[in-house]
Amino acid sequence: MPQFFPRTSTTIARLTLLGGALALAAVACAGYLIVESPYETRQDVPREQPVPFSHEHHAGGLGIDCRYCHTTVETSSFANIPATKVCMNCHQQMWAVAPDIEPIRESYRNGRSVLWTRVHDLPDFVYFDHSVHIHKGVGCSTCHGRVDRMPLTWQAESLRMKWCLDCHRDPAKYVRPRDQVFNMAYTPPRNQEEVGQRLMSEYHIVRRTSCSTCHR
Amino acid sequence: MKISATLGLAIALVACRQDMHDQPKYKPLAESNFFADGRASRPIPENTVARDEPIVNDTYHTGNANGDFTARIPVTVDMALLRRGEERFDIFCSPCHGRLGDGNGMVAQRGFRIPQNLNSDRIRQAPPGYIFQVISNGYGGMPDHADQIPVRDRWAIVAYLRALELSRSARISDVPLEAQSQLEAQR
């Protein structure tokens, strides 16, 4: 009786096993790439807004300080999104009939909120606090990029846990003098490592990596 | 077939992790479908007062003393207060008034009503309580800034404005001797 399986079938079987393993690995890799891709983290994608508010115009061009609108960023966990009234401080008189700003005027008239679309949105099981970062010398641009060059706002970093931890393990790589926190054009000096170490002790910065720092 | 099913499952798993991401709790300014106006952050009900902002009719909160604008700033004026005032002036006033208070801010340059020079004799002679009220309630074409600037910071700005006005008409002989040589060197 001739052999049922030809000799080559052993090789085929082996290859199939190997191929299966590879396929699984590929799926895992693909999954990881998808999770970490800018598509999934929604990084670098400008969000549509009810009013085409431009930081490039207001913060960059006109040089309005972030705190004129984000009034609580130094004192609270939440940076605050400005009330309609703040826009009307200027737009009562300027561009007062521009159709772009109609939703703002309408909100001012009827007292309903403008429905801004969130750009950054950490999962609800993560605790984040602006005030501590501002106070310890982490600049807006370190986490938000060059907001003053954004015609529509987008998220400049992944906001993944490993991104937070990269800094929390060694903040010396990123911290700057407190009076530079709002400077969008700040570039780290050549001796950042040295400056960072000095600021770490001056501002009593602690390396916070315990899970309960952010998951509480 | 199996592979594409696995891949599909993997993508589905990646996509449906939202249960703990969006928990049934409110973050500041979130949308709510419980309240009729859709706001999770509730506006202050009528006839109530926030705990940290009591309505007190004293000089500190109103800028008034004995039925007139106060002629004295009701907080201790020191270097720290002036520095705070400078920072806050640059944030909240300079867009329209310019950093020197001369009315040359970026927003005024783009067509906003051009404010008068804050170094004019009239504003110089206006009592601190008056400036405080302009910040709190606005004046003519100027919007009020009460919601954006806490009371203490308003007084800091008033104090700084006085220093700014002084500096705008100061002569070199008004400066202490050792600072004079420093200034000359910088010229």
Side-chain angles (χ1 to χ4, degrees):
Chain A
M1 193 177 136
Q3 274 200 324
F4 194 75
F5 290 109
R7 247 170 197 286
T8 47
S9 61
T10 321
T11 326
I12 291 174
R14 281 195 184 127
L15 279 178
T16 317
L17 280 175
L18 185 67
L22 279 178
L24 267 180
V27 168
C29 272
Y32 181 76
L33 286 179
I34 292 172
V35 173
E36 294 303 318
S37 68
Y39 171 75
E40 183 49 34
T41 60
R42 303 187 303 166
Q43 203 174 330
D44 299 333
V45 187
R47 252 14 90 74
E48 284 294 325
Q49 298 287 359
V51 176
F53 175 79
S54 161
H55 282 92
E56 189 178 33
H57 251 134
H58 293 84
L62 300 171
I64 307 174
D65 194 286
C66 313
R67 288 163 286 184
Y68 190 91
C69 297
H70 303 299
T71 42
T72 55
V73 73
E74 296 164 297
T75 50
S76 118
S77 60
F78 186 63
N80 191 39
I81 296 296
T84 303
K85 154 77 171 60
V86 173
C87 309
M88 291 307 275
N89 278 355
C90 295
H91 290 294
Q92 188 91 269
Q93 288 178 44
M94 310 191 63
W95 292 55
V97 289
D100 274 354
I101 307 180
E102 181 51 28
I104 300 284
R105 286 191 298 267
E106 192 187 323
S107 154
Y108 196 60
R109 280 194 302 268
N110 65 18
R112 289 218 194 89
S113 301
V114 177
L115 299 178
W116 299 106
T117 307
R118 277 210 74 119
V119 180
H120 303 76
D121 195 5
L122 286 175
D124 287 355
F125 52 75
V126 181
Y127 174 75
F128 179 78
D129 187 326
H130 272 99
S131 62
V132 62
H133 291 95
I134 305 312
H135 193 68
K136 301 268 176 166
V138 186
C140 311
S141 62
T142 305
C143 299
H144 292 301
R146 289 301 298 265
V147 176
D148 62 328
R149 290 185 182 159
M150 298 182 183
L152 280 177
T153 320
W154 64 81
Q155 177 184 316
E157 298 290 342
S158 70
L159 300 197
R160 284 288 177 225
M161 177 162 128
K162 69 175 181 201
W163 173 75
C164 310
L165 282 174
D166 173 53
C167 178
H168 276 219
R169 286 200 184 104
D170 184 14
K173 280 188 291 188
Y174 302 100
V175 288
R176 49 174 96 169
R178 272 188 199 128
D179 59 2
Q180 295 298 320
V181 163
F182 294 89
N183 179 358
M184 286 285 122
Y186 181 83
T187 42
R190 246 163 233 253
N191 57 344
Q192 171 63 34
E193 201 52 42
E194 226 173 89
V195 174
Q197 290 301 345
R198 187 170 53 73
L199 294 175
M200 289 268 294
S201 58
E202 195 175 315
Y203 298 164
H204 307 293
I205 297 176
V206 184
R207 294 185 173 82
R208 297 211 185 263
T209 49
S210 130
C211 314
S212 61
T213 305
C214 310
H215 306 294
R216 39 175 101 180
Chain B
M1 182 33 215
K2 257 195 201 131
I3 289 183
S4 62
T6 326
L7 197 63
L9 190 67
I11 292 175
L13 281 177
V14 165
C16 65
R17 323 167 300 158
Q18 295 304 319
D19 41 349
M20 290 302 278
H21 282 228
D22 297 315
Q23 299 163 8
K25 70 176 180 191
Y26 289 135
K27 288 185 167 183
L29 300 188
E31 197 169 354
S32 158
N33 42 26
F34 178 76
F35 295 105
D37 63 1
R39 293 177 196 170
S41 300
R42 307 304 304 146
I44 298 174
E46 248 178 271
N47 300 324
T48 55
V49 183
R51 213 162 48 124
D52 51 351
E53 285 164 18
I55 298 181
V56 186
N57 279 328
D58 59 2
T59 308
Y60 178 71
H61 290 91
T62 61
N64 285 337
N66 307 324
D68 202 354
F69 300 117
T70 175
R72 291 199 55 213
I73 295 174
V75 293
T76 321
V77 179
D78 53 12
M79 207 52 202
L81 189 82
L82 287 178
R83 290 221 186 289
R84 176 80 183 174
E86 175 177 21
E87 186 187 73
R88 298 294 124 170
F89 183 90
D90 288 350
I91 296 169
F92 292 107
C93 318
S94 73
C96 302
H97 289 279
R99 294 189 64 169
L100 301 176
D102 52 11
N104 203 18
M106 277 305 276
V107 176
Q109 286 177 32
R110 297 299 167 92
F112 199 86
R113 186 186 172 121
I114 295 178
Q116 52 273 63
N117 192 338
L118 295 183
N119 306 304
S120 70
D121 281 341
R122 187 169 67 81
I123 306 294
R124 246 176 239 267
Q125 276 146 25
Y130 176 73
I131 311 286
F132 178 88
Q133 290 210 352
V134 171
I135 303 176
S136 310
N137 307 325
Y139 171 86
M142 168 173 158
D144 74 86
H145 283 75
D147 290 342
Q148 282 158 282
I149 315 178
V151 173
R152 195 182 153 77
D153 283 348
R154 286 179 232 163
W155 287 116
I157 291 174
V158 173
Y160 171 70
L161 185 58
R162 287 286 113 106
L164 184 69
E165 287 163 351
L166 255 182
S167 78
R168 295 299 290 160
S169 66
R171 276 185 304 267
I172 192 96
S173 55
D174 295 338
V175 208
L177 269 180
E178 64 273 19
Q180 278 186 23
S181 50
Q182 248 179 35
L183 284 175
E184 290 291 355
Q186 277 173 17
R187 267 239 277 249

